[in-house]
Amino acid sequence: MSDIIHLLPDSVANQIAAGEVIQRPSSVIKELVENAVDAAASNIDVIVTDAGKTAIQVIDDGKGMSETDARLAFERHATSKIRQAGDLFALRTMGFRGEALASIAAVAQVELKTRQEQNELGTSVAISGSELTGQEVISCPVGSNFMVRNLFYNVPARRKFLKSNQTELSNILQEFERIVLVHPDISFSLTHNDSLLFNLPKTILRQRIVGVFGKKLNEQLLPVDVDTSLVRLTGFVGKPETAKKKGAHQYFFVNGRYMRHPYFHKAVMEAYDQLVPANEQVSYFLYFEVDPANIDVNIHPTKTEIKFENDTAIWQIVVAAVKEALGRFNAVPTIDFDMEGAPDIPVFNAGRDMPETGAPVVQTDYGFNPFNKNAAGRNYHRKSVEWEALYEGLEQETVPSLSNELPLSAESNVEAEMPLLGSAANDMVEKSMLHYQYKGQYILTSVKSGLMIIDQRRAHLRVLYDRYNRQMSERTGVSQGLLFPEMVQLPPSEAVVLEQLVGDLEALGFDLSVLGGGSFGINAIPSGTDGLNPAEIVQDIVHTAMEKGFGGDGDMRHNIALSLAKSAAIVQGQVLSNEEMESLVDELFACQTPNYTPDGKVIVAILEQTEIERLFK
């Protein structure tokens, strides 16, 4: 038998490696910007065309490369960050594998222009699909200028799975934010299709956070600063009153590197126990400084998953540090004895404030004799009241006697197609016209096979979701104008998502004005959402879209309809009249799937008649 094992060509091996390192345009920007940071750059400019699908350019003023280094940098496992295995335990740089540039060059057309400060001329290197297409000496500024064109041009299957421009741009902005938040000493800019999205000068950390997410966040942050033998923890956490269900900005960084760490996230939320409502989140920006020998960043090519040697001890430090920050800045609710701003209530002083008044005098007529008819006092006669006239015209009403049975109205045979649960699906053709609301949460009604229980909020959610979906499909939403337009300010990563949703939101009845710079004006909202905060509704829709992602127009509309329905649905505890309950039940069973909410929760349950009878045996 002939030999069947052979070595793969370098170009194929690089394309395989690129599948892990370069997943989308945001991966290219992450690797190139991190390389610029490692090169001690002071200014980094990122220019993107068509969300990175057409071109990505990263310009820095770092150390630059020599002619030999510029060519060698595109070889696989070529790196200046480490020289031996022991260096992995003392990493201070972002990259170290030597795979990024080789992976990018394997799936794109790359041109590099670079020059070192001591050289008068620089070098230009052009590589396409791992093949060198040109190298020459040129005149260029100090630093490096990477131009990446036609990403995945030679891997059409990968390019086909790229999302829309707005989705890819949102991912680029998220990666960009993670880098700029940890390097406030470097100035950054990001331009997309000739539109400047970020222009961040050198500053302190707090101002960098405000520059990325808006000035409103500044007043919500509490500083954290704890130094121990295991870790130095700095950064900021949000005040408890700023907690919200979606859209909280939560970031962990270790030694200047962004990381995901669910274990430490639980530690932060543990510090907020009993301070924020359940299922709500607070923003935090926490920076860990640890000995590189005590962590392992070489787990995944993206380097966002990091193992700690003493994670249990650090967990306790995180909890204590956040609690200390909350206590130090009086963020924990306390009894407030501060009288500033309180109304001025005068204190009663019996000796000083009491007016001088004499003793009360009783007027007495000593000449009055009730037995003397001629006395003046007998001239008074009580006015007679003809009370019988008050009850004229009233008929006597009969008081109904109490029955031993529950008084239900006449049941009507409603021949409706109601896909009900369990074995009651076949015999459920009758329902009572009288409903009972239990604890402001459930609607109880008598049906042929027993007792039907409906969760009123979930039922309303189902009705609204179907209505909003239909309005977006048919573009028949009804607008309700606002007397004064509402303003909403979003960071760039959220603003690009909202711009993608504007068409469907207008079909629902929203009237949005794009004011630029992440600002939007809300001129009208859908009918039926009065009483709700328009800005919060829009932000909630955007955050839901970012969490769920976009798999197409259907998924986009599903996320919008579900988010708006959750905001507008009646809350638990809301009292409904019998007519309102009857209308809600009728609308529920007019839906195609009345038994479950759009996110799969049960709406209708049947308590069988046999089960009720068994309870009383």
Side-chain angles (χ1 to χ4, degrees):
M1 180 180 291
S2 60
D3 297 334
I4 60 174
I5 297 178
H6 58 276
L7 292 175
L8 288 174
D10 290 342
S11 59
V12 177
N14 288 338
Q15 286 190 11
I16 294 173
E20 292 185 349
V21 181
I22 307 302
Q23 301 174 356
R24 57 199 331 154
S26 60
S27 304
V28 176
I29 292 177
K30 173 183 181 295
E31 299 295 343
L32 294 181
V33 174
E34 286 183 348
N35 282 344
V37 171
D38 289 339
S42 299
N43 299 277
I44 301 175
D45 300 318
V46 181
I47 303 172
V48 180
T49 304
D50 297 333
K53 297 177 182 178
T54 300
I56 298 172
Q57 187 175 12
V58 178
I59 306 171
D60 69 75
D61 59 355
K63 298 177 181 179
M65 288 180 274
S66 65
E67 181 179 356
T68 303
D69 288 344
R71 175 63 188 91
L72 189 60
F74 291 96
E75 296 296 328
R76 196 175 178 199
H77 302 311
T79 180
S80 63
K81 315 299 174 59
I82 61 174
R83 294 185 178 274
Q84 55 188 1
D87 294 340
L88 290 173
F89 303 102
L91 286 172
R92 292 288 182 181
T93 57
M94 297 297 99
F96 56 88
R97 291 170 175 265
E99 294 179 328
L101 292 182
S103 299
I104 295 172
V107 293
Q109 298 168 342
V110 183
E111 181 182 359
L112 166 63
K113 298 178 181 179
T114 182
R115 179 171 75 88
Q116 293 179 322
E117 187 175 4
Q118 64 271 23
N119 298 330
E120 294 184 359
L121 295 176
T123 303
S124 174
V125 177
I127 296 180
S128 179
S130 297
E131 295 183 2
L132 181 66
T133 59
Q135 181 172 349
E136 59 183 347
V137 177
I138 62 169
S139 176
C140 63
V142 175
S144 299
N145 183 339
F146 282 91
M147 174 65 78
V148 180
R149 295 186 176 91
N150 301 324
L151 185 63
F152 299 130
Y153 79 100
N154 56 349
V155 192
R158 292 291 301 276
R159 188 173 179 88
K160 181 180 66 175
F161 284 101
L162 292 178
K163 305 298 183 181
S164 64
N165 285 357
Q166 288 83 357
T167 302
E168 295 298 341
L169 179 58
S170 178
N171 288 312
I172 289 173
L173 291 170
Q174 291 179 22
E175 288 290 352
F176 189 79
E177 290 170 356
R178 294 169 182 173
I179 297 174
V180 302
L181 286 174
V182 80
H183 298 289
D185 56 331
I186 302 176
S187 65
F188 292 89
S189 70
L190 175 62
T191 304
H192 177 252
N193 290 349
D194 299 325
S195 175
L196 183 63
L197 301 182
F198 277 115
N199 186 16
L200 305 171
K202 300 177 184 179
T203 183
I204 60 175
L205 178 59
R206 190 181 191 115
Q207 292 302 319
R208 175 56 57 86
I209 294 174
V210 172
V212 173
F213 297 110
K215 297 180 180 179
K216 185 179 180 181
L217 190 62
N218 186 33
E219 59 188 18
Q220 303 175 2
L221 299 178
L222 302 175
V224 176
D225 192 350
V226 175
D227 195 357
T228 67
S229 58
L230 287 178
V231 61
R232 183 168 191 264
L233 183 62
T234 59
F236 300 91
V237 295
K239 296 179 180 179
E241 58 266 25
T242 63
K244 49 187 176 181
K245 292 184 178 180
K246 296 179 182 178
H249 306 294
Q250 299 175 335
Y251 292 88
F252 285 125
F253 303 94
V254 56
N255 293 351
R257 188 191 308 276
Y258 170 79
M259 72 170 179
R260 295 187 181 93
H261 211 295
Y263 186 55
F264 290 162
H265 170 75
K266 291 182 180 179
V268 175
M269 299 315 298
E270 176 72 16
Y272 285 90
D273 188 31
Q274 305 300 323
L275 297 179
V276 300
N279 301 323
E280 292 197 4
Q281 305 289 331
V282 291
S283 298
Y284 57 77
F285 306 85
L286 295 177
Y287 298 76
F288 297 78
E289 293 182 21
V290 300
D291 185 351
N294 294 333
I295 61 175
D296 184 7
V297 300
N298 192 23
I299 298 176
H300 191 271
T302 59
K303 299 181 282 291
T304 58
E305 300 175 13
I306 299 177
K307 284 187 177 180
F308 286 74
E309 182 179 352
N310 302 307
D311 54 355
T312 303
I314 295 178
W315 190 92
Q316 297 173 348
I317 293 173
V318 172
V319 175
V322 176
K323 284 186 176 180
E324 181 186 4
L326 295 174
R328 186 188 316 128
F329 295 94
N330 207 21
V332 179
T334 57
I335 300 176
D336 186 11
F337 294 101
D338 187 9
M339 299 301 295
E340 182 178 356
D344 186 14
I345 302 176
V347 179
F348 176 74
N349 189 321
R352 183 185 64 186
D353 298 334
M354 184 173 180
E356 296 181 0
T357 57
V361 178
V362 179
Q363 301 293 336
T364 305
D365 184 6
Y366 294 100
F368 174 71
N369 185 352
F371 299 100
N372 186 356
K373 295 182 179 181
N374 297 325
R378 298 300 294 173
N379 294 330
Y380 170 77
H381 297 281
R382 181 188 297 271
K383 184 178 180 181
S384 62
V385 178
E386 298 178 357
W387 57 268
E388 294 86 352
L390 299 176
Y391 296 92
E392 291 180 357
L394 296 181
E395 298 179 356
Q396 183 177 5
E397 296 183 356
T398 58
V399 179
S401 60
L402 295 177
S403 173
N404 294 329
E405 298 180 355
L406 181 66
L408 296 177
S409 60
E411 296 183 349
S412 60
N413 295 328
V414 182
E415 298 292 339
E417 297 180 0
M418 300 186 297
L420 300 172
L421 303 174
S423 60
N426 296 325
D427 60 347
M428 290 297 300
V429 294
E430 297 180 0
K431 70 182 182 71
S432 169
M433 299 303 292
L434 180 65
H435 304 282
Y436 173 73
Q437 189 180 31
Y438 177 68
K439 291 189 175 180
Q441 184 174 359
Y442 302 103
I443 298 175
L444 310 182
T445 185
S446 172
V447 290
K448 184 176 181 180
S449 62
L451 183 65
M452 180 169 63
I453 307 173
I454 301 173
D455 188 304
Q456 68 179 34
R457 172 170 171 80
R458 294 181 181 179
H460 198 209
L461 175 63
R462 175 83 252 180
V463 171
L464 292 178
Y465 171 82
D466 287 1
R467 181 186 304 167
Y468 295 146
N469 246 339
R470 184 171 59 254
Q471 288 176 353
M472 280 188 288
S473 299
E474 301 174 359
R475 307 191 68 83
T476 57
V478 179
S479 296
Q480 179 177 337
L482 298 177
L483 183 60
F484 300 102
E486 290 276 348
M487 295 290 296
V488 57
Q489 179 72 34
L490 300 176
S493 57
E494 298 177 6
V496 296
V497 176
L498 181 55
E499 290 176 1
Q500 185 179 6
L501 303 177
V502 166
D504 288 320
L505 292 179
E506 289 179 348
L508 277 173
F510 283 97
D511 182 8
L512 300 176
S513 301
V514 181
L515 306 178
S519 297
F520 297 83
I522 307 175
N523 305 312
I525 58 177
S527 178
T529 59
D530 49 316
L532 301 177
N533 188 321
E536 291 182 358
I537 294 177
V538 172
Q539 289 177 329
D540 190 63
I541 291 175
V542 171
H543 296 152
T544 300
M546 295 179 67
E547 290 177 2
K548 304 294 184 180
F550 301 119
D553 290 341
D555 289 342
M556 186 186 307
R557 291 176 178 176
H558 164 77
N559 293 331
I560 294 175
L562 181 58
S563 179
L564 184 57
K566 286 183 176 180
S567 299
I570 57 177
V571 297
Q572 293 183 358
Q574 182 169 337
V575 178
L576 302 178
S577 66
N578 191 70
E579 291 75 12
E580 291 172 332
M581 288 187 284
E582 179 69 24
S583 175
L584 179 59
V585 172
D586 290 342
E587 289 181 332
L588 173 64
F589 288 109
C591 299
Q592 293 183 352
T593 54
N595 294 332
Y596 297 95
T597 61
D599 47 358
K601 296 180 180 179
V602 176
I603 300 175
V604 181
I606 301 295
L607 186 59
E608 300 285 349
Q609 180 69 25
T610 55
E611 180 66 18
I612 297 175
E613 294 173 352
R614 188 186 66 81
L615 296 175
F616 292 94
K617 288 184 179 179

